[in-house]
Amino acid sequence: GQRISALNVAGVLDEDEVRLHLLSIDAERAGQLSGLGRYGFDGSMDFELNLEGFDLEHVRELQNLPVQVVGRGDAQFKGAGTFKKPEISGSVRLYELGAGSRRVGDIALVAYTAHDTVHLTGALLPWVNVALELPLQKGSPYYARIGMDQLNLLQAVPEIRALGIVNDALLTGVVEVFLADDFSNYQVVADLSDVQLESFGQPIKNRGSIIAGINNGEILQIQQAVFGIGGRYVSLQGGLVFDSSLIDVRVEGDLDLGLLNSARLAFPKLFPDMFIESQGYVQIDTNVRGTPGNMSAEGLLTFGPSEIVLRPLPEPLLISSGEVRFNRDGVFISQARPLVGQALGGAVRLAGNIRLSDTDEDRFDLRMWSHNMSYRIPNMADLTFDTDLRLQGTDIARMETWLVSGEVNVLDGLYYRELNMVEKQLTDRVLGAFNRRAERYDTSFIDQIPGLKDTRFDLAIRARDGFKLRNQIDRIELDLELRVDLKLRNTLADPKVVGDVEVIDGDVSFQGEKFDVRSGTVRFADRLDNPWVDIVAGADVRNTCRDGEVFDEVSSAMSLSANVDATRQQYYHITLNARGTLDNLDVQFESSPYADQRDILSMLLTGCTVDQLTASSASRPTLEIALGPLLGRLEREIQDVVKVEEFTIMPGVERTQLRIGDTLTRRLSWRFQLDTGFAEASGGQQYQLEYKLSDNWSTELSERSRSETNSFLLDLKLKYRLPLD
């Protein structure tokens, strides 16, 4: 069926032989054949053939191959002997040889005949050497042998680089191809003596030859493969049926867990989001059979020292020993050989099972014991605790199916969160719109695992002692030691908490005065945000006002029960009672000798009673001095946020003044003043807007209002500045 456009033959035919003086065949794009020779009727022959400019794509016989073969080239052959036992020699040179979508390159071959077979040997430039065997007897298979020495696989097969799995690959060895004479089937066998791979920065090497074969593109059979990293190797034997994706593989040896890092980057969907990286090793002895949707494994994993980094944990999870057995029924960790290691700085043991079933529910039941684990909640608390937990569920990949039960015993804890309510109200609520400063945000364990909010809990949380609370709420400082006995149920999104938190020891400080806590209980009944509080604390507070006239007046009324020292200062024993729920907390102060609530608060703030502060002759600190540090901090905070020239708070017993001012442009400025106090007559506010017409002339518009009359006054002034120099 090959199209030939021209045929020229010249020769002599006699009784003994046929002699060709000229043979010329023009097969158009398939190529041109020329030659000469002799054929004797006794079977002897002698010929020379030249093929010029042939193109394999247009050779009809090659169009029936399973893959398209392309390339162009030239060939020269000489023949002698007989048809039954020919002796052929010559050379072939192909350019841009390709098979299917693969462009192989250039190939140069030398041909010779031995044992009824034409042998072609040469090199596939620039990578490999090639040996081909073309049998002259019908029914014998074709054979090719490809030898590689440090073949760069990524240059030879660029598509592998596109997968992103292999960064570098050098191969040394032999690949043999057996092809039936009718091209009906083939077999490829690889014997690689040296394999050097690099995957995501991890070097992977072989130990001994890797021997594998492919039959007709249907079955991959691994006869021998030992590879690994870091001096630890895994042996792999088995096969893969491509059509059905059926796998039957045996794996044994020391598996370096660094391989999981490469596998995670290559196949991210197979790994949970919390997994980051791992190192160490595990002894593996397992058989894997089945298809991707129905895979079963049976074997044993024995862990050596290993380290696994998980996203929510501040420190790596360490595994020192343990065994994991698995079969078609599930995964099993016995209590005799549990997984032992460290997590959150403490010792951990894990045992249990994950049972697989033919239904959608794969139930699991795991037990975890830990000792001396530590965890830090950013900007809130440091905890050290023991656990005895049981984890159950129907799908380990879906945390909403989990139930965590058991006990958490707090060995040592410190809660140290600070709450500055006054400053927060002023700077966040009133002036927060002007704030442009970024705050650091540390995500917690729960924030990094959103599914944990939907996990169900049934936990007993206990702390016999050692749990301390050091907290500051505005100017109140808490330093308490607590006993905790709580039950946590339901989910973290909707927790139900029952139990008591009792104060064992501690004190509460306010304005420099220390209250010793006599008793304290915080009782939870389902709601976490609104417990019942019952606290009693006491402190000795000194009256620091020394004005003689005022002091005599006060001391005459309290001479029977007061303690007066050499400097004529009086001590009050003040008791704080806080009782009720947080949303309806009743806080009462009592004192001995007696003082009303107003005087108690005044002494806590200033060291003086209200009457002593308002007396014109009092020499003790006023509210302005007592609140000075706090107000000064607020003034600096607000000025920095709002960027005004003036922000001043001037507190007093009779009145408090607030002044704000700023220059908007070189000519325009504004001022605002607010007066408030105990007497309405002192209250009022004033707005003022001033515009400079020139260096000497300016105009001022102001509005003033009075609280006691609900009246206001508009005032427009024209001012002239007279320079005296």
Side-chain angles (χ1 to χ4, degrees):
Q2 184 71 49
R3 178 179 174 82
I4 296 175
S5 60
L7 170 63
N8 294 309
V9 180
V12 175
L13 172 63
D14 59 25
E15 58 184 12
D16 296 323
E17 62 183 7
V18 176
R19 295 187 299 276
L20 291 178
H21 300 149
L22 171 66
L23 173 64
S24 175
I25 299 176
D26 186 355
E28 297 183 342
R29 298 179 65 180
Q32 290 77 40
L33 171 67
S34 63
L36 53 86
R38 180 191 66 84
Y39 173 70
F41 296 138
D42 59 355
S44 62
M45 66 176 180
D46 185 6
F47 67 88
E48 292 183 11
L49 292 177
N50 293 313
L51 290 97
E52 297 179 354
F54 64 82
D55 192 334
L56 298 179
E57 184 178 0
H58 298 281
V59 177
R60 183 174 178 83
E61 287 299 319
L62 298 180
Q63 295 176 357
N64 297 324
L65 293 176
V67 295
Q68 184 185 22
V69 178
V70 298
R72 54 187 176 80
D74 302 290
Q76 298 83 35
F77 295 100
K78 290 184 178 182
T82 65
F83 268 112
K84 293 184 178 181
K85 292 184 178 182
E87 295 179 2
I88 300 174
S89 63
S91 64
V92 178
R93 190 170 182 88
L94 299 175
Y95 304 94
E96 299 178 358
L97 179 64
S101 61
R102 170 72 47 237
R103 292 299 177 263
V104 178
D106 300 339
I107 185 171
L109 300 172
V110 175
Y112 63 94
T113 303
H115 303 294
D116 300 330
T117 301
V118 179
H119 296 266
L120 298 170
T121 61
L124 181 63
L125 304 177
W127 300 310
V128 297
N129 57 75
V130 179
L132 304 177
E133 295 182 3
L134 307 178
L136 297 176
Q137 293 184 0
K138 188 175 181 179
S140 299
Y142 298 102
Y143 171 79
R145 182 183 185 276
I146 302 172
M148 301 170 290
D149 186 8
Q150 296 289 300
L151 169 67
N152 191 316
L153 187 61
L154 298 186
Q155 292 182 5
V157 189
E159 289 81 0
I160 295 179
R161 187 184 298 275
L163 297 175
I165 303 174
V166 179
N167 306 114
D168 195 10
L170 298 177
L171 305 180
T172 299
V174 176
V175 176
E176 296 179 290
V177 180
F178 300 87
L179 178 64
D181 62 338
D182 59 354
F183 308 123
S184 60
N185 58 75
Y186 69 92
Q187 183 179 21
V188 180
V189 178
D191 186 344
L192 304 177
S193 60
D194 186 16
V195 177
Q196 300 178 31
L197 302 179
E198 182 178 315
S199 178
F200 302 103
Q202 304 239 40
I204 304 173
K205 299 187 66 174
N206 66 305
R207 186 175 65 184
S209 295
I210 295 179
I211 303 175
I214 298 178
N215 294 326
N216 297 323
E218 299 173 352
I219 301 175
L220 168 64
Q221 184 175 0
I222 302 173
Q223 180 178 339
Q224 174 182 308
V226 180
F227 59 91
I229 63 175
R232 300 189 181 278
Y233 293 89
V234 173
S235 172
L236 188 68
Q237 291 180 310
L240 167 64
V241 180
F242 291 106
D243 289 344
S244 61
S245 298
L246 176 64
I247 298 174
D248 188 353
V249 174
R250 178 174 178 80
V251 184
E252 58 181 334
D254 292 344
L255 175 64
D256 194 305
L257 294 180
L259 290 173
L260 296 181
N261 303 329
S262 300
R264 170 184 172 270
L265 295 173
F267 310 103
K269 293 183 179 180
L270 300 180
F271 290 80
D273 293 337
M274 67 177 64
F275 178 85
I276 299 178
E277 64 179 8
S278 61
Q279 62 182 12
Y281 76 96
V282 58
Q283 293 179 351
I284 184 170
D285 184 0
T286 181
N287 292 313
V288 181
R289 298 184 181 90
T291 60
N294 187 24
M295 192 72 65
S296 65
E298 183 173 354
L300 173 67
L301 296 178
T302 304
F303 278 85
S306 306
E307 181 177 301
I308 302 175
V309 180
L310 300 177
R311 194 175 307 278
L313 300 181
E315 300 175 356
L317 174 64
L318 304 179
I319 301 176
S320 57
S321 63
E323 284 186 357
V324 178
R325 293 186 177 273
F326 46 90
N327 54 38
R328 62 181 302 169
D329 295 327
V331 180
F332 305 90
I333 307 172
S334 69
Q335 294 193 21
R337 294 297 304 276
L339 290 179
V340 178
Q342 284 186 314
L344 298 177
V348 178
R349 290 184 297 128
L350 180 68
N353 59 78
I354 303 174
R355 293 192 174 273
L356 307 178
S357 64
D358 295 333
T359 64
D360 293 336
E361 292 189 353
D362 298 329
R363 295 190 172 275
F364 60 93
D365 187 352
L366 302 173
R367 294 292 302 272
M368 187 188 82
W369 301 266
S370 71
H371 175 61
N372 218 31
M373 295 177 71
S374 298
Y375 184 70
R376 177 180 178 270
I377 303 175
N379 301 318
M380 184 177 295
D382 293 328
L383 300 173
T384 302
F385 51 92
D386 291 349
T387 64
D388 182 358
L389 302 178
R390 185 176 185 180
L391 177 61
Q392 300 169 282
T394 58
D395 188 348
I396 200 166
R398 297 170 53 234
M399 299 184 70
E400 62 269 21
T401 69
W402 293 13
L403 171 63
V404 181
S405 59
E407 297 182 357
V408 177
N409 292 304
V410 179
L411 305 178
D412 189 16
L414 176 61
Y415 183 90
Y416 53 85
R417 189 174 187 181
E418 293 188 3
L419 300 174
N420 297 311
M421 303 299 293
V422 174
E423 294 183 40
K424 183 174 179 63
Q425 290 296 320
L426 285 174
T427 59
D428 289 355
R429 182 175 295 181
V430 180
L431 304 168
F434 299 92
N435 197 343
R436 295 294 182 269
R437 291 177 298 175
E439 296 183 359
R440 179 184 175 187
Y441 177 70
D442 293 325
T443 57
S444 66
F445 189 86
I446 298 176
D447 294 329
Q448 296 186 51
I449 312 179
L452 194 59
K453 296 180 180 180
D454 298 321
T455 301
R456 293 174 297 125
F457 289 90
D458 186 5
L459 288 179
I461 303 175
R462 299 187 177 93
R464 290 178 296 179
D465 52 26
F467 186 80
K468 296 180 176 59
L469 184 148
R470 292 175 185 168
N471 204 359
Q472 180 170 335
I473 304 176
D474 291 322
R475 309 190 77 182
I476 301 176
E477 295 181 4
L478 305 176
D479 189 355
L480 307 174
E481 185 173 356
L482 308 175
R483 180 184 293 115
V484 179
D485 189 1
L486 298 176
K487 274 280 190 180
L488 170 63
R489 295 187 177 93
N490 210 21
T491 65
L492 296 181
D494 184 23
K496 306 296 183 184
V497 180
V498 178
D500 294 342
V501 178
E502 298 182 9
V503 179
I504 301 174
D505 190 15
D507 55 67
V508 179
S509 298
F510 179 72
Q511 289 294 117
E513 303 293 347
K514 182 175 292 187
F515 288 79
D516 294 323
V517 178
R518 299 175 185 172
S519 64
T521 302
V522 179
R523 181 163 298 159
F524 295 89
D526 266 1
R527 290 187 58 184
L528 183 64
D529 59 344
N530 195 33
W532 172 268
V533 178
D534 187 356
I535 298 176
V536 178
D540 292 324
V541 178
R542 185 177 63 181
N543 186 328
T544 59
C545 284
R546 296 184 182 180
D547 181 76
E549 183 176 343
V550 176
F551 185 83
D552 291 341
E553 179 182 348
V554 175
S555 63
S556 62
M558 299 184 178
S559 58
L560 294 179
S561 57
N563 296 320
V564 181
D565 60 13
T567 58
R568 306 188 70 190
Q569 295 176 334
Q570 189 172 21
Y571 285 86
Y572 288 79
H573 184 76
I574 297 177
T575 302
L576 179 149
N577 293 276
R579 187 179 181 86
T581 58
L582 286 184
D583 60 1
N584 188 25
L585 189 62
D586 182 20
V587 180
Q588 295 290 334
F589 290 98
E590 299 176 357
S591 71
S592 176
Y594 173 78
D596 60 21
Q597 299 287 306
R598 186 182 64 163
D599 282 339
I600 293 174
L601 290 173
S602 179
M603 282 190 290
L604 292 174
L605 286 170
T606 68
C608 303
T609 65
V610 173
D611 291 338
Q612 290 169 333
L613 287 174
T614 56
S616 59
S617 59
S619 61
R620 287 293 92 195
T622 63
L623 282 174
E624 183 174 5
I625 297 175
L627 298 179
L630 174 61
L631 297 178
R633 180 175 176 182
L634 285 177
E635 290 172 1
R636 291 191 299 272
E637 178 83 10
I638 294 172
Q639 278 187 293
D640 181 59
V641 172
V642 184
K643 302 299 183 184
V644 295
E645 290 184 348
E646 179 185 8
F647 189 96
T648 305
I649 303 173
M650 295 179 295
V653 176
E654 293 295 335
R655 62 188 300 182
T656 298
Q657 290 186 349
L658 170 66
R659 291 204 299 264
I660 308 175
D662 194 17
T663 300
L664 301 178
T665 67
R666 186 172 64 87
R667 295 181 179 273
L668 183 63
S669 62
W670 65 273
R671 297 288 183 274
F672 170 74
Q673 179 173 314
L674 174 65
D675 288 358
T676 180
F678 296 126
E680 286 190 357
S682 64
Q685 61 186 24
Q686 177 177 346
Y687 300 93
Q688 177 181 312
L689 189 67
E690 182 176 352
Y691 184 77
K692 292 184 65 175
L693 301 174
S694 65
D695 292 340
N696 297 334
W697 287 94
S698 64
T699 180
E700 179 185 294
L701 177 65
S702 62
E703 183 271 337
R704 288 176 292 175
S705 60
R706 305 294 296 181
S707 301
E708 72 277 9
T709 60
N710 290 325
S711 62
F712 67 93
L713 174 66
L714 290 176
D715 192 3
L716 178 63
K717 295 180 181 179
L718 183 65
K719 298 192 294 185
Y720 177 76
R721 176 177 175 272
L722 177 63
L724 299 178
D725 56 352

